[in-house]
Amino acid sequence: MFEYLTGLITMVSPDFIVVDVNGVGYRVAVANPYAYQEDDQQVVQVFIYQAVKEDAITLFGFATQAEKRLFTQLIGVSGIGPKSALAILATPDHQGLIDAIQNGDDKYLSKFPGIGKKTASRIIIELKDKVVAVQDEVQLDFTAPGPLGPSAALQDALAALESLGYTTKQVERVQKQLEGLQGELSTNDYLSQGLKLLSR
């Protein structure tokens, strides 16, 4: 059983990343692949959940232990498989997801692919008291650990915005505003600010 992988990102695709650990490339499904920096000099740590079936072994990756814990809580709900849980975690608003579970907001949960009203109700019933334990920990942080310069963090955030469905023109519209932000910002910070600007 894997706990985490530490290595170089050698490939980023719409569905997965490849982490090279001492010459072995591990294909890892992640919620937002484009948030990982594709740089052969960038060492990252990706927390791993290993799903074993008769015909396949799949690795699911997470930027933080808290994100992995939320994933394992979701797949513990009847009717939620690893792919559905990963699709839910692709939302940039993890705190909004937790709030929806705690507040019994089945309408919010039903907006995710493959999640109907019955499944949303099961998520609420089974996780309402469990997600409290990670509420303070789980913040959106798709950036793998390691030093990221402001420009790299911004580029990752812009790529993440496009992967969430915004057009190149919309992303370019907010790019200059994001470039003007002060302070040392992470991909998470840029992404959050970008979503606020795009929702206006």
Side-chain angles (χ1 to χ4, degrees):
M1 181 68 72
F2 295 101
E3 180 60 30
Y4 60 82
L5 297 174
T6 301
L8 306 174
I9 302 294
T10 57
M11 185 184 299
V12 174
S13 83
D15 302 314
F16 64 88
I17 60 174
V18 173
V19 184
D20 184 310
V21 182
N22 297 324
V24 178
Y26 293 88
R27 175 173 170 153
V28 183
V30 294
N32 189 351
Y34 294 109
Y36 288 83
Q37 189 177 23
E38 188 175 4
D39 185 341
D40 60 4
Q41 301 301 314
Q42 181 70 36
V43 176
V44 301
Q45 184 179 67
V46 183
F47 293 93
I48 297 296
Y49 176 86
Q50 183 179 1
V52 180
K53 292 184 177 180
E54 290 182 6
D55 58 344
I57 297 176
T58 307
L59 301 180
F60 295 89
F62 312 93
T64 66
Q65 286 180 314
E67 187 183 353
K68 177 183 175 181
R69 190 177 300 117
L70 185 54
F71 172 85
T72 58
Q73 289 175 328
L74 285 168
I75 62 174
V77 176
S78 176
I80 302 290
K83 289 185 178 179
S84 295
L86 208 63
I88 292 172
L89 290 178
T91 175
D93 186 11
H94 283 187
Q95 190 56 57
L97 170 63
I98 290 174
D99 290 342
I101 294 171
Q102 290 182 319
N103 297 328
D105 188 351
D106 58 356
K107 187 177 290 186
Y108 180 97
L109 297 173
S110 297
K111 74 179 184 179
F112 296 109
I115 305 298
K117 201 157 188 176
K118 287 184 178 179
T119 305
S121 296
R122 281 200 298 269
I123 292 173
I124 292 166
I125 292 169
E126 296 185 33
L127 298 186
K128 190 170 185 178
D129 296 326
K130 294 180 181 178
V131 292
V132 178
V134 296
Q135 181 176 4
D136 294 333
E137 282 187 88
V138 179
Q139 300 295 332
L140 175 64
D141 185 7
F142 287 126
T143 308
L148 268 183
S151 59
L154 175 58
Q155 290 306 314
D156 282 347
L158 295 174
L161 288 172
E162 288 197 35
S163 72
L164 289 170
Y166 292 101
T167 65
T168 301
K169 193 170 183 179
Q170 287 175 308
V171 173
E172 288 175 348
R173 181 166 55 85
V174 300
Q175 182 174 352
K176 287 188 178 180
Q177 292 171 276
L178 293 176
E179 288 173 346
L181 296 176
Q182 299 296 316
E184 189 175 335
L185 303 179
S186 66
T187 299
N188 173 32
D189 297 324
Y190 281 120
L191 187 53
S192 296
Q193 290 300 319
L195 288 165
K196 286 179 184 177
L197 291 169
L198 287 165
S199 64
R200 289 178 183 173

Coordinates of all heavy atoms in Angstrom, one line a residue, residues 151-193:
S151 N 5.3 33.5 -10.8 CA 4.8 33.3 -12.2 C 4.4 31.9 -12.4 O 3.4 31.6 -13.1 CB 6.0 33.7 -13.1 OG 7.1 32.9 -12.9
A152 N 5.1 30.9 -11.8 CA 4.7 29.5 -12.0 C 3.4 29.2 -11.3 O 2.5 28.5 -11.9 CB 5.8 28.6 -11.4
A153 N 3.2 29.8 -10.1 CA 2.0 29.6 -9.4 C 0.8 30.2 -10.2 O -0.3 29.6 -10.3 CB 2.1 30.2 -8.0
L154 N 1.0 31.4 -10.8 CA 0.0 32.1 -11.6 C -0.3 31.2 -12.8 O -1.5 31.1 -13.1 CB 0.5 33.5 -12.0 CG -0.5 34.2 -12.9 CD1 -1.9 34.4 -12.2 CD2 0.1 35.6 -13.2
Q155 N 0.7 30.7 -13.5 CA 0.4 30.0 -14.7 C -0.4 28.7 -14.4 O -1.3 28.3 -15.1 CB 1.8 29.6 -15.4 CG 2.5 30.8 -16.0 CD 1.6 31.5 -17.0 OE1 1.0 30.9 -17.8 NE2 1.6 32.8 -16.9
D156 N 0.0 28.1 -13.2 CA -0.8 26.9 -12.8 C -2.2 27.2 -12.5 O -3.2 26.5 -12.9 CB -0.2 26.3 -11.5 CG 1.1 25.5 -11.8 OD1 1.3 25.2 -13.0 OD2 1.8 25.2 -10.9
A157 N -2.5 28.4 -11.9 CA -3.8 28.8 -11.6 C -4.6 29.1 -12.9 O -5.8 28.7 -13.0 CB -3.8 30.0 -10.7
L158 N -4.0 29.7 -13.8 CA -4.6 30.0 -15.1 C -5.0 28.8 -15.9 O -6.1 28.6 -16.4 CB -3.7 30.9 -16.0 CG -3.4 32.3 -15.4 CD1 -2.4 33.0 -16.3 CD2 -4.7 33.2 -15.3
A159 N -4.1 27.8 -15.8 CA -4.4 26.5 -16.5 C -5.5 25.8 -15.8 O -6.4 25.2 -16.4 CB -3.1 25.6 -16.4
A160 N -5.6 25.9 -14.4 CA -6.6 25.3 -13.7 C -8.0 25.9 -14.0 O -9.0 25.2 -14.1 CB -6.4 25.4 -12.2
L161 N -8.0 27.2 -14.2 CA -9.2 27.9 -14.6 C -9.8 27.4 -15.9 O -11.0 27.2 -16.0 CB -9.0 29.4 -14.6 CG -8.8 30.1 -13.3 CD1 -8.4 31.6 -13.5 CD2 -10.1 30.1 -12.4
E162 N -8.9 27.2 -16.9 CA -9.3 26.7 -18.2 C -9.8 25.3 -18.0 O -10.8 24.9 -18.7 CB -8.2 26.8 -19.2 CG -7.9 28.2 -19.6 CD -7.0 28.3 -20.9 OE1 -7.2 27.4 -21.8 OE2 -6.2 29.2 -21.0
S163 N -9.2 24.5 -17.2 CA -9.6 23.1 -17.0 C -10.9 23.0 -16.3 O -11.6 22.0 -16.4 CB -8.5 22.3 -16.2 OG -8.6 22.7 -14.8
L164 N -11.3 24.1 -15.6 CA -12.6 24.1 -15.0 C -13.7 24.6 -15.9 O -14.9 24.7 -15.5 CB -12.6 25.0 -13.7 CG -11.8 24.5 -12.6 CD1 -11.6 25.6 -11.5 CD2 -12.4 23.3 -11.9
G165 N -13.4 24.9 -17.2 CA -14.4 25.2 -18.2 C -14.4 26.6 -18.6 O -15.2 27.0 -19.5
Y166 N -13.6 27.5 -18.1 CA -13.6 28.9 -18.5 C -12.8 29.0 -19.8 O -11.8 28.3 -20.0 CB -12.9 29.8 -17.5 CG -13.7 29.9 -16.2 CD1 -13.4 29.2 -15.1 CD2 -14.9 30.8 -16.2 CE1 -14.2 29.3 -13.9 CE2 -15.6 30.9 -15.0 CZ -15.3 30.2 -13.9 OH -16.1 30.3 -12.8
T167 N -13.2 29.9 -20.7 CA -12.6 30.0 -22.0 C -11.2 30.8 -21.9 O -11.0 31.5 -20.9 CB -13.5 30.8 -23.0 OG1 -13.6 32.2 -22.5 CG2 -14.8 30.2 -23.1
T168 N -10.4 30.6 -22.9 CA -9.1 31.3 -22.9 C -9.3 32.8 -22.8 O -8.6 33.5 -22.1 CB -8.3 30.9 -24.1 OG1 -8.1 29.5 -24.2 CG2 -7.0 31.6 -24.1
K169 N -10.3 33.3 -23.5 CA -10.6 34.7 -23.4 C -11.0 35.2 -22.0 O -10.5 36.3 -21.6 CB -11.7 35.1 -24.4 CG -11.9 36.5 -24.7 CD -12.9 36.8 -25.9 CE -12.9 38.2 -26.2 NZ -13.9 38.5 -27.4
Q170 N -11.8 34.4 -21.3 CA -12.2 34.8 -20.0 C -11.0 34.8 -19.0 O -10.8 35.7 -18.2 CB -13.2 33.8 -19.5 CG -14.6 34.0 -20.1 CD -15.6 32.9 -19.6 OE1 -15.3 31.7 -19.7 NE2 -16.7 33.3 -19.1
V171 N -10.1 33.8 -19.2 CA -8.9 33.7 -18.4 C -8.0 34.8 -18.6 O -7.4 35.4 -17.7 CB -8.2 32.3 -18.6 CG1 -6.9 32.3 -17.8 CG2 -9.1 31.2 -18.1
E172 N -7.8 35.2 -19.9 CA -6.9 36.3 -20.2 C -7.4 37.6 -19.7 O -6.7 38.5 -19.3 CB -6.8 36.4 -21.8 CG -5.9 35.3 -22.3 CD -5.9 35.3 -23.9 OE1 -6.7 36.1 -24.5 OE2 -5.0 34.6 -24.5
R173 N -8.8 37.7 -19.6 CA -9.4 38.9 -19.0 C -9.0 39.2 -17.6 O -8.8 40.3 -17.2 CB -10.9 38.8 -19.2 CG -11.7 40.1 -18.7 CD -13.1 40.0 -19.2 NE -13.8 38.8 -18.8 CZ -14.4 38.6 -17.6 NH1 -14.3 39.6 -16.7 NH2 -15.0 37.5 -17.3
V174 N -8.9 38.1 -16.8 CA -8.5 38.3 -15.4 C -7.0 38.2 -15.1 O -6.6 38.5 -14.0 CB -9.3 37.3 -14.5 CG1 -10.8 37.5 -14.7 CG2 -8.9 35.9 -14.8
Q175 N -6.3 37.7 -16.1 CA -4.8 37.5 -15.9 C -4.1 38.8 -15.4 O -3.3 38.7 -14.5 CB -4.2 37.0 -17.2 CG -2.7 36.7 -17.0 CD -2.1 36.0 -18.2 OE1 -2.8 35.6 -19.1 NE2 -0.8 35.8 -18.2
K176 N -4.4 39.9 -16.1 CA -3.7 41.1 -15.7 C -4.0 41.5 -14.3 O -3.1 42.0 -13.5 CB -4.0 42.3 -16.7 CG -3.4 42.1 -18.0 CD -3.6 43.3 -18.9 CE -2.9 43.1 -20.2 NZ -3.1 44.3 -21.1
Q177 N -5.2 41.3 -13.9 CA -5.6 41.7 -12.5 C -4.9 40.8 -11.5 O -4.5 41.2 -10.4 CB -7.2 41.6 -12.3 CG -7.9 42.6 -13.1 CD -9.4 42.3 -13.1 OE1 -9.9 41.6 -13.9 NE2 -10.1 42.9 -12.2
L178 N -4.8 39.5 -11.8 CA -4.1 38.6 -11.0 C -2.6 38.9 -10.9 O -2.0 38.8 -9.8 CB -4.3 37.1 -11.5 CG -5.7 36.6 -11.4 CD1 -5.8 35.2 -12.0 CD2 -6.2 36.5 -9.9
E179 N -2.0 39.3 -12.0 CA -0.6 39.7 -12.0 C -0.3 40.9 -11.1 O 0.8 41.1 -10.6 CB -0.2 40.0 -13.5 CG 0.0 38.8 -14.3 CD 0.2 39.1 -15.8 OE1 0.1 40.3 -16.2 OE2 0.6 38.2 -16.5
G180 N -1.4 41.7 -10.9 CA -1.2 43.0 -10.1 C -1.4 42.7 -8.6 O -1.2 43.7 -7.8
L181 N -1.7 41.5 -8.2 CA -1.9 41.2 -6.8 C -0.5 41.3 -6.1 O 0.5 40.9 -6.6 CB -2.5 39.9 -6.6 CG -3.9 39.7 -7.1 CD1 -4.4 38.3 -7.0 CD2 -4.9 40.6 -6.4
Q182 N -0.6 41.8 -4.9 CA 0.7 42.0 -4.1 C 0.9 40.8 -3.2 O 0.0 40.1 -2.8 CB 0.6 43.2 -3.2 CG 0.4 44.5 -4.0 CD 1.6 44.8 -4.9 OE1 2.7 44.7 -4.5 NE2 1.3 45.2 -6.1
G183 N 2.2 40.5 -2.8 CA 2.5 39.5 -1.9 C 2.9 38.2 -2.6 O 2.8 38.0 -3.8
E184 N 3.4 37.3 -1.8 CA 3.8 36.0 -2.3 C 2.6 35.0 -2.3 O 2.2 34.5 -1.2 CB 4.9 35.4 -1.4 CG 5.6 34.1 -2.0 CD 6.8 33.7 -1.1 OE1 7.4 34.5 -0.4 OE2 7.0 32.5 -1.2
L185 N 2.0 34.8 -3.4 CA 0.8 34.1 -3.5 C 1.0 32.7 -4.1 O 1.9 32.5 -4.9 CB -0.2 34.8 -4.4 CG -0.6 36.2 -4.0 CD1 -1.5 36.8 -5.0 CD2 -1.2 36.2 -2.6
S186 N 0.2 31.7 -3.6 CA 0.3 30.3 -4.1 C -0.7 30.2 -5.2 O -1.5 31.0 -5.5 CB 0.0 29.4 -2.9 OG -1.4 29.5 -2.6
T187 N -0.6 29.0 -5.9 CA -1.6 28.7 -6.9 C -3.0 28.7 -6.3 O -3.9 29.2 -7.0 CB -1.4 27.2 -7.4 OG1 -0.1 27.2 -8.0 CG2 -2.4 26.9 -8.5
N188 N -3.2 28.3 -5.1 CA -4.5 28.3 -4.4 C -5.0 29.8 -4.3 O -6.1 30.0 -4.6 CB -4.3 27.7 -3.0 CG -5.6 27.9 -2.2 OD1 -6.7 27.9 -2.7 ND2 -5.4 28.1 -0.9
D189 N -4.1 30.7 -3.9 CA -4.5 32.1 -3.8 C -4.9 32.7 -5.1 O -6.0 33.3 -5.2 CB -3.3 32.9 -3.2 CG -2.9 32.5 -1.8 OD1 -3.8 32.1 -1.0 OD2 -1.7 32.5 -1.5
Y190 N -4.1 32.5 -6.2 CA -4.4 33.0 -7.5 C -5.7 32.4 -8.0 O -6.6 33.1 -8.6 CB -3.3 32.7 -8.5 CG -2.1 33.6 -8.4 CD1 -0.9 33.1 -8.1 CD2 -2.2 35.0 -8.6 CE1 0.3 33.9 -8.0 CE2 -1.1 35.8 -8.5 CZ 0.1 35.3 -8.2 OH 1.2 36.1 -8.2
L191 N -5.9 31.1 -7.8 CA -7.1 30.4 -8.3 C -8.4 30.9 -7.6 O -9.4 31.2 -8.2 CB -7.0 28.9 -8.1 CG -8.1 28.0 -8.6 CD1 -8.3 28.3 -10.1 CD2 -7.7 26.5 -8.4
S192 N -8.3 31.1 -6.3 CA -9.4 31.7 -5.5 C -9.8 33.1 -6.0 O -11.0 33.4 -6.2 CB -9.1 31.7 -4.0 OG -8.9 30.4 -3.5
Q193 N -8.8 33.9 -6.2 CA -9.0 35.3 -6.6 C -9.6 35.3 -8.1 O -10.4 36.1 -8.4 CB -7.7 36.1 -6.6 CG -7.2 36.4 -5.2 CD -8.3 37.2 -4.4 OE1 -8.9 38.1 -4.9 NE2 -8.4 36.8 -3.1

